Amino acid sequence: LVLALYSGVPVTREIASIQAQVSGPMSSLPATDARRARFDRLHSLSTTLMTINMGLGLILLYWYVRES
């Protein structure tokens, strides 16, 4: 729950803030642009947090099924 909240609120808010500063897709910015680098790091963090969250959910599901 904590991972989902962290990914869903502050990380997503900062991603949206960066996207609002750019008119167009992030890929249109040069690779050296600080906004693109920050966006890429935040996107990677968000993806990692969601993957961990799904993995933990599967572990809980396995545990629940095993106990039944």
Side-chain angles (χ1 to χ4, degrees), residues 10-11 13 21 32-33 42 50-51 55 57 62-64 68:
V11 173
R13 187 177 296 150
Q21 296 172 15
T32 56
D33 190 295
L42 288 168
M50 294 299 252
T51 302
Y62 171 76
W63 183 39
Y64 176 76
S68 295

Side-chain angles (χ1 to χ4, degrees), residues 42-64:
L42 288 168
H43 187 268
S44 178
L45 173 64
S46 178
T47 302
T48 300
L49 291 173
M50 294 299 252
T51 302
I52 292 169
N53 214 9
M54 288 187 333
L56 292 173
L58 289 173
I59 290 169
L60 283 175
L61 180 64
Y62 171 76
W63 183 39
Y64 176 76

Side-chain angles (χ1 to χ4, degrees), residues 18 26 31 35-45:
I18 294 170
M26 284 293 152
R35 294 171 297 181
R36 181 172 178 176
R38 181 70 179 148
F39 176 85
D40 289 345
R41 282 192 306 273
L42 288 168
H43 187 268
S44 178
L45 173 64

Side-chain angles (χ1 to χ4, degrees), residues 10-33:
V11 173
T12 302
R13 187 177 296 150
E14 192 167 349
I15 287 174
S17 171
I18 294 170
Q19 286 176 323
Q21 296 172 15
V22 178
S23 58
M26 284 293 152
S27 59
S28 66
L29 293 174
T32 56
D33 190 295

